[in-house]
Amino acid sequence: MRAITFETYGGSDVLNLTDDRPVPGIAPDEVLVRVRFAAVNPFDLKLRSGSMQKVIHPTFPLVPGSEMAGTVEQLGADVSGLVVGDEVFGWATSGSYAEFAAARVVAKKPHALHWEAAASLPVAADAATRGLGLLRLQPHETLLIHGGAGVVGSLAVQLAVRADVTVIATCSASDTDAVRHLGAHPVLYGEGVFERVRELAPDGVDAVLDAAGAGVLPGSIELVGGTERVVTLADPAAYALGVTFSSGSAKEQNAGVLSEVAALVVEGALVLPVARHFALADAAEAQDAVAAGGRRGKVLLDL
């Protein structure tokens, strides 16, 4: 099968397109998925660069990627509730930058859910719902979300607003209209951000969700008045500050959450930023686009 692999750590130039990668085998609790879209995430870049090698010890050559959407090609012996041909989305266990991927946690794709939305949802739905859940928000509380225009942040904004939470969201000047349209009060990020937040919320905020990882935790702690209701999805500095750092794990991946969020997207109750598309052969360029940042929407590889 065609796949992107890398055999050593480094920059995006270590990524190679191969057309003779073996189709992955599946465990009894897995399915084999013919991948239609694979999403490119910041974690993929960390894995490729070697910054994760102290905690992850891969066998090379390695196929990167986890998030994907496609069609069930084969069922493991212990799998129930799915049949060959079902359209699904979720997490690959064998690497998603490939024509075929093994997967353990997938949800059926609603017919009305666009393929690119399906491929864009797993990580964002998991992170946003997990982060909001840890904050134990109540109706009419005020939540500050750092990075409110990104895929994770914008989903968290909408889910919080649906729960009758008042949301202040940091973003760039070019994204203020988009954030306001989602139901949040936009605030420009960068120097002076907490002064601008206090202008909107003179009494402070009840909780902070950091989806940006841009060094905002000390100011967030001061704003809330402690660490208990500050959660970051992106900043490892949390460990030294006593803040909850929720990065997620395979054990927390939940197909039920994916189905619930997908249903809201189909209803039009949640919207996702427009994705950017790259061919599989252009995976290096796609990863460079993620590294550059500055634009909303998921980066997808089209297979």
Side-chain angles (χ1 to χ4, degrees):
M1 67 174 183
R2 290 191 311 137
I4 296 295
T5 65
F6 63 98
E7 300 189 30
T8 185
Y9 296 123
S12 62
D13 58 325
V14 303
L15 298 176
N16 296 299
L17 177 65
T18 178
D19 60 3
D20 59 358
R21 178 79 175 176
V23 173
I26 56 172
D29 61 344
E30 293 181 325
V31 297
L32 182 68
V33 176
R34 182 184 291 272
V35 180
R36 181 157 177 174
F37 289 109
V40 180
N41 287 288
F43 179 83
D44 304 345
L45 282 63
K46 295 177 182 178
L47 184 63
R48 183 213 68 216
S49 71
S51 65
M52 302 295 295
Q53 60 183 299
K54 290 185 177 180
V55 292
I56 298 178
H57 309 286
T59 299
F60 293 110
L62 183 68
V63 178
S66 61
E67 218 174 3
M68 54 84 201
T71 305
V72 174
E73 190 81 4
Q74 181 183 344
L75 299 171
D78 296 340
V79 174
S80 60
L82 293 171
V83 298
V84 171
D86 276 347
E87 297 175 346
V88 296
F89 62 110
W91 290 272
T93 55
S94 63
S96 62
Y97 295 19
E99 287 184 299
F100 294 94
R104 182 169 291 112
V105 181
V106 295
K108 288 185 180 180
K109 183 186 80 67
H111 179 72
L113 183 70
H114 293 300
W115 278 105
E116 69 172 32
S120 299
L121 268 180
V123 168
D126 172 70
T129 55
R130 177 167 27 87
L132 293 173
L134 287 169
L135 289 171
R136 304 180 305 280
L137 294 159
Q138 300 298 317
H140 312 303
E141 287 192 317
T142 299
L143 169 68
L144 170 63
I145 296 179
H146 292 290
V151 181
V152 174
S154 62
L155 201 57
V157 165
Q158 295 172 85
L159 290 169
V161 169
R162 282 180 56 83
D164 292 326
V165 172
T166 298
V167 179
I168 299 171
T170 68
C171 60
S172 67
S174 61
D175 289 327
T176 55
D177 287 343
V179 167
R180 187 177 291 110
H181 182 71
L182 297 177
H185 303 282
V187 170
L188 295 181
Y189 62 69
E191 186 176 355
V193 62
F194 291 105
E195 286 74 12
R196 291 188 286 275
V197 170
R198 287 188 177 91
E199 290 177 5
L200 284 175
D203 297 326
V205 302
D206 297 294
V208 175
L209 179 63
D210 172 30
V216 294
L217 295 182
S220 298
I221 294 169
E222 182 181 352
L223 186 68
V224 176
T227 61
E228 184 178 354
R229 300 194 73 193
V230 178
V231 170
T232 180
L233 304 172
D235 193 347
Y239 296 117
L241 295 169
V243 168
T244 297
F245 177 40
S246 181
S247 59
S249 69
K251 292 181 179 179
E252 294 176 290
Q253 293 168 355
N254 189 314
V257 169
L258 297 189
S259 296
E260 291 171 8
V261 175
L264 292 173
V265 174
V266 170
E267 292 172 14
L270 298 177
V271 297
L272 297 173
V274 176
R276 287 177 285 166
H277 293 259
F278 293 81
L280 180 64
D282 297 326
E285 184 181 349
Q287 287 202 352
D288 289 342
V290 171
R295 293 182 59 181
R296 304 179 69 229
K298 208 79 178 196
V299 171
L300 300 179
L301 299 176
D302 300 6
L303 286 96

